[in-house]
């Protein structure tokens, strides 16, 4: 009788909780800028660290847990603030955009293990994607419909999802072949 594998092990849950706690501790610490309503936050540092420690999937889960903790009102965002108003305010694009930062940086770190130049590339492209998301939200006065109003935007969104599905499908095939090989059932 085969047992189904668990989604998260105790070690993984503990690491996710520790990274979320670290984000909650360092996230509110920020350096205010006199010329901008958006301060420099230590959240980026924690997110990069969690990508290296946890990988893409679990660092994204860790950040989403942090985001949910802040959404319910606990003061874990920059300037020791929290709640839905903070997400809808000037720093909301950053808070949501950090999800893209962890996914993009994590992709480069995981798929190019041991290659520092690709890890740095991911850590540059992640904030660029996050910044562009924030700028699009600022230009549209916070309306998320800007991403589906124009056909080219919708085409890029669909293309992104298709590429993600194809990458995951390839990973699943490779994992299945590896599992088959490890079990000694490789066809000759």
């Amino acid at each position: 009788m085969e047992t189904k594998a668990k989604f998260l092990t105790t070690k993984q849950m503990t690491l996710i909780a520790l990274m979320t706690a670290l984000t909650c501790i360092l996230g509110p610490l920020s350096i205010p800028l006199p010329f901008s309503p958006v301060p420099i936050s230590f959240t980026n540092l924690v997110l990069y660290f969690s990508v290296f420690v946890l990988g893409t999937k679990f660092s994204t889960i860790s950040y989403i847990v942090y985001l949910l903790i802040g959404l319910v009102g606990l003061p874990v965002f920059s300037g020791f603030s929290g709640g839905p108003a903070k997400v809808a305010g000037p720093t909301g694009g950053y808070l949501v955009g950090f999800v893209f930062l962890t996914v993009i940086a994590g992709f480069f770190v995981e798929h190019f293990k041991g290659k520092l130049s690709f890890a740095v590339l991911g850590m540059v492209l992640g904030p660029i994607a996050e910044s562009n998301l924030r700028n699009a939200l600022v230009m549209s006065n916070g309306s998320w419909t800007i991403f589906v109003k124009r056909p080219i935007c919708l085409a890029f969104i669909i293309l992104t999802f298709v590429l993600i599905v194809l990458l995951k499908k390839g990973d699943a095939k490779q994992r299945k072949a590896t599992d088959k090989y490890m079990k000694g059932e490789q066809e000759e």
Side-chain angles (χ1 to χ4, degrees):
M1 182 174 181
E2 246 181 78
T3 59
K4 193 171 185 175
K6 293 180 183 178
F7 177 67
L8 292 171
T9 65
T10 305
K11 179 181 177 183
Q12 290 167 336
M13 284 189 283
T14 305
L15 285 172
I16 289 170
L18 285 173
M19 284 301 155
T20 302
L22 189 61
T23 310
C24 288
I25 292 167
L26 292 178
L29 303 177
S30 59
I31 302 168
L33 299 174
F35 54 87
S36 173
V38 181
I40 296 174
S41 172
F42 289 108
T43 310
N44 291 48
L45 174 70
V46 177
L47 292 178
Y48 289 141
F49 184 63
S50 70
V51 163
F52 275 102
V53 173
L54 300 175
T56 306
K57 183 178 179 182
F58 298 132
S59 64
T60 305
I61 291 171
S62 170
Y63 181 72
I64 290 172
V65 169
Y66 162 77
L67 197 59
L68 292 173
I69 289 170
L71 268 172
V72 297
L74 291 175
V76 294
F77 296 145
S78 62
F80 294 96
S81 59
K86 185 70 172 182
V87 176
T91 60
Y94 282 107
L95 294 170
V96 175
F98 283 149
V99 173
F100 296 104
L101 183 144
T102 58
V103 170
I104 292 170
F107 174 82
F108 279 89
V109 168
E110 282 184 355
H111 283 77
F112 303 104
K113 285 188 189 286
K115 296 183 180 175
L116 185 62
S117 58
F118 284 107
V120 170
L121 179 65
M123 291 183 183
V124 169
L125 291 177
I128 289 173
E130 176 263 326
S131 177
N132 285 328
L133 171 75
R134 180 180 35 82
N135 288 338
L137 289 173
V138 166
M139 289 188 311
S140 69
N141 293 325
S143 173
W144 288 86
T145 59
I146 192 169
F147 298 110
V148 292
K149 280 185 179 176
R150 304 228 185 248
I152 189 74
C153 293
L154 193 56
F156 277 119
I157 290 171
I158 291 169
L159 178 65
T160 302
F161 282 116
V162 167
L163 288 173
I164 290 170
V165 167
L166 290 174
L167 282 171
K168 289 297 180 185
K169 198 174 192 180
D171 284 348
K173 282 182 181 178
Q174 185 178 6
R175 206 171 320 127
K176 187 176 180 180
T178 303
D179 290 346
K180 191 174 185 181
Y181 177 76
M182 294 302 283
K183 288 182 180 179
E185 299 174 6
Q186 185 178 15
E187 294 178 15
E188 307 265 344

